[in-house]
Amino acid sequence: MKNALQTTVLGLMLLAGPAWARAEGPQSEGLRLVLTGVGRFAVLADLSTIVRTGDTVRMRSLQVTEDDFQAAGQAYWGGWSWWAFNCVARTADRLDFASVREGGTEGPATPDAAPAYAAAAGGDAAELLAVACDPASVGEADADTLADAVRVGRAALAAPVTAH
């Protein structure tokens, strides 16, 4: 169960206005997306959405699917999720998921009621947490539009995996 402080911070963020207003609806301009990992999906962190309050950071990420991904006969590019990270406790809380259909149509967002959890090394949450908690460590953005992010993500998914 989330502690009262995390719940209070999230509530304040929801009421905050300008930062939260960016979260609603399609966002195709002003993005600063950085590829953070490639596994089943390519995951990109949106640096333009980072909002820090004490030890807690809120950020949106994009999960990109392979080229031919379909559900119920509809082609999808992937989906957006809002996250809350505790940089000291090293926990991650995925707040929602909103699908992105081919062409960029978003949503609606579905809340994720699961509690915050320890971000395991090597997992998507840990990679996103690292960027959210230390955005200065990241170089230039890999994409600044949703369509560019899908191209970057799909190229990363299609790249051959090399053994170490």
Side-chain angles (χ1 to χ4, degrees):
M1 180 173 261
K2 295 178 190 171
N3 68 38
L5 178 58
Q6 286 176 314
T7 304
T8 301
V9 168
L10 178 59
L12 291 172
M13 292 172 129
L14 292 172
L15 297 173
W20 178 249
R22 292 186 308 203
E24 297 299 325
Q27 181 182 11
S28 60
E29 295 182 21
L31 302 174
R32 291 181 46 227
L33 293 151
V34 175
L35 184 67
T36 61
V38 180
R40 180 173 175 210
F41 304 102
V43 178
L44 295 98
D46 185 359
L47 303 176
S48 71
T49 63
I50 293 174
V51 176
R52 187 169 189 138
T53 305
D55 295 336
T56 303
V57 178
R58 185 176 155 82
M59 180 181 73
R60 192 160 93 146
S61 72
L62 178 66
Q63 174 180 298
V64 176
T65 63
E66 292 181 327
D67 230 354
D68 58 355
F69 186 88
Q70 291 197 1
Q74 175 69 49
Y76 285 86
W77 281 352
W80 290 106
S81 288
W82 278 99
W83 293 80
F85 301 101
N86 183 302
C87 299
V88 174
R90 310 297 292 168
T91 59
D93 188 2
R94 186 177 188 169
L95 304 173
D96 67 2
F97 179 82
S99 64
V100 178
R101 286 189 222 124
E102 186 175 297
T105 302
E106 291 182 27
T110 302
D112 185 334
Y117 57 93
D124 290 339
E127 292 167 341
L128 289 168
L129 181 144
V131 170
C133 294
D134 188 12
S137 68
V138 180
E140 293 295 315
D142 295 309
D144 59 6
T145 68
L146 177 58
D148 284 343
V150 171
R151 280 190 285 280
V152 166
R154 288 185 170 171
L157 287 166
V161 177
T162 57
H164 296 289

